[in-house]
Amino acid sequence: MGLKIYIDGKFYQKEDAKVSVFDHGLLYGDGVFEGIRTYDGLIFKLKEHIDRLYQSAHAIMLDIPISKDEMVGAIKKTLRENDMKDAYIRLLVTRGIGDLGLDPRKCGRPTVVIITDKIKLYPQELYGKGLEIVTISTQRNIHQAVNPQIKSLNYLNNILAKVEAINAGVEEAVMLNSEGYVAECTGDNIFIVKDGSLLTPPIHSGVLRGITRGAVIDIARLKEIPVHEEVLTRYDLFNSDEMFLTGTAAEIIPVVRMDRRKIGDGKPGKMTLKLIGEFNKLTKVDGVRF
Ligand code: PXG
C-alpha cells in the first residue's frame, strides 16, 4: 500500500496525486503552507499551525474553502489512512485553477492538499556534533513586501539563501534583514545564549513566528531561564556562548561554528542540550491524538 495524498476531500495514490498546471500555486507561488509534526500518535501544536495557516491565507486574501475543524478532521483522516504514528504533515492551500494571468479572481476554488510523509532536514550526526552556518548576502524579505510572517508558497528568497549556504559548503545560512540585523535561517529561527540568558530576534526583525520558537520560549519561561526577544547583530552571534536553530522539521539543532568563528567552546552548549531534553519531553505529552 503506497502513500495516500489528500486533495480536496479525496485520497489519491502518490503517483496519481496531481494538480493542474493552471493552478496559481504552480504558476505564481500563490498559496500558503504549513509543516506539522506528529510524535507517536500525537500531533504537536496543531492549533498553532492551523491558526497560522488561516492567518497566512487571510493576509493574502485567500479564503480556505473548509473550516478549521474540517481541516483538523482532514489531517487526522489522512494520518489514519496512511497508518502513520510519526509523520511530517505538509498542508498546502493554493489559489486554485485560473488562467495565465495574475488575477486571483479568475481562480475557482482554492486547492487543499495534505501530504503525510517523513522529513529529514539535517544529517543525524549534526545533532550531536553541531552545525556550521554562514551569513549570506540574500536579505530576508522586508515586511512591506511579502511579510516574512506569511508562510507562502513563494520560498525563493529562502531557497536563494539555501543555495548560498550550499555553495559555501555548509548546510544552513543566516539571513539578515534590510537593516543588517539578524533575522533567521532558511527554514529555522535562531537563538543564542549569552550569560545565562536566551535571546532571539523579535518578529519585527523579519522572521516567521516559528511555533518551535514559541515552544522553546515557553519552556524557558517555565524553567525560569531569562528569555528576551532582542534585535541582534552578527557580532552578538559571534560572541554568544551557545547557538541553536529551531523549526518543525529541524526541532532544536546546535550551531557550533558561524562564519569560521567558533561559537562558545565549539561544542553543543549545556543550555541547548537541556532545552533539547525538555523539548523532547514536551513532544511526548503535548499533542492532539488522531
Ligand atoms: N523560519 C522559516 C522561514 C520557516 O520556513 C521556521 C522558521 C520554523 O517555524 P516552525 O513553526 O516550523 O517552528 C520555518 C518553518 C522545509 C520546511 O521543508 C520548512 C519549515 C518547516 C518545515 C519544513 O524546509 N519552515
Side-chain angles (χ1 to χ4, degrees):
M1 286 281 274
L3 194 64
K4 289 194 200 124
I5 317 288
Y6 171 106
I7 307 176
D8 292 332
K10 291 199 192 105
F11 288 102
Y12 299 86
Q13 290 297 329
K14 186 177 175 180
E15 307 72 49
D16 305 319
K18 293 174 179 151
V19 293
S20 165
V21 293
F22 287 94
D23 193 304
H24 280 207
L26 177 67
L27 285 173
Y28 302 114
D30 187 355
V32 293
F33 80 103
E34 270 301 321
I36 314 173
R37 280 284 277 270
T38 74
Y39 294 93
D40 195 23
L42 292 174
I43 312 172
F44 189 60
K45 302 279 177 203
L46 178 60
K47 183 181 185 303
E48 286 82 350
H49 283 284
I50 296 290
D51 286 347
R52 190 171 64 184
L53 180 78
Y54 281 74
Q55 284 168 15
S56 291
H58 182 66
I60 67 164
M61 288 190 79
L62 173 65
D63 264 330
I64 298 179
I66 57 176
S67 69
K68 288 186 181 180
D69 283 346
E70 286 168 332
M71 187 67 86
V72 167
I75 291 170
K76 289 181 177 174
K77 203 170 165 203
T78 310
L79 287 164
R80 287 196 296 261
E81 194 78 23
N82 286 294
D83 196 20
M84 289 181 105
K85 283 209 148 49
D86 292 279
Y88 173 77
I89 306 162
R90 173 61 54 91
L91 210 55
L92 291 158
V93 186
T94 74
R95 189 74 67 177
I97 297 168
D99 61 12
L100 298 180
L102 295 182
D103 191 343
R105 292 172 304 184
K106 303 274 181 63
C107 299
R109 188 189 148 96
T111 308
V112 179
V113 176
I114 305 170
I115 307 169
T116 52
D117 204 350
K118 300 276 170 206
I119 193 164
K120 203 168 193 87
L121 221 54
Y122 306 113
Q124 189 57 39
E125 58 172 54
L126 291 181
Y127 285 82
K129 275 196 347 202
L131 193 64
E132 175 172 2
I133 62 174
V134 292
T135 314
I136 43 81
S137 60
T138 302
Q139 282 174 7
R140 193 67 179 105
N141 288 333
I142 53 171
H143 62 86
Q144 303 94 316
V146 180
N147 191 301
Q149 287 206 69
I150 302 172
K151 211 163 158 57
S152 85
L153 294 181
N154 250 286
Y155 251 51
L156 259 184
N157 185 230
N158 307 52
I159 291 165
L160 287 175
K162 185 81 176 179
V163 166
E164 283 192 72
I166 294 163
N167 287 348
V170 298
E171 291 286 331
E172 193 48 271
V174 182
M175 305 173 83
L176 307 179
N177 64 22
S178 59
E179 294 181 301
Y181 294 112
V182 173
E184 60 182 337
C185 291
T186 65
D188 307 305
N189 292 109
I190 191 161
F191 284 80
I192 58 169
V193 177
K194 184 68 182 174
D195 299 330
S197 291
L198 198 54
L199 307 174
T200 195
I203 302 305
H204 68 76
S205 282
V207 307
L208 183 80
R209 193 184 291 276
I211 287 159
T212 320
R213 174 187 181 276
V216 167
I217 291 172
D218 288 347
I219 291 170
R221 292 208 171 115
L222 212 68
K223 295 286 156 193
E224 296 184 343
I225 299 165
V227 51
H228 307 288
E229 293 178 61
E230 239 177 69
V231 172
L232 298 172
T233 63
R234 290 172 75 216
Y235 173 91
D236 300 319
L237 268 48
F238 296 153
N239 289 294
S240 63
D241 303 325
E242 302 181 25
M243 192 187 298
F244 60 87
L245 312 181
T246 64
T248 295
E251 302 177 309
I252 300 174
I253 185 160
V255 177
V256 294
R257 249 163 92 87
M258 174 179 162
D259 296 335
R260 301 274 179 116
R261 277 91 161 168
K262 192 158 81 171
I263 302 305
D265 62 3
K267 296 197 190 79
K270 253 201 194 130
M271 192 182 299
T272 305
L273 296 175
K274 180 184 159 109
L275 289 167
I276 291 174
E278 292 299 329
F279 182 79
N280 290 340
K281 276 195 238 167
L282 192 66
T283 60
K284 287 191 179 72
V285 294
D286 186 328
V288 175
R289 202 158 287 287
F290 58 88

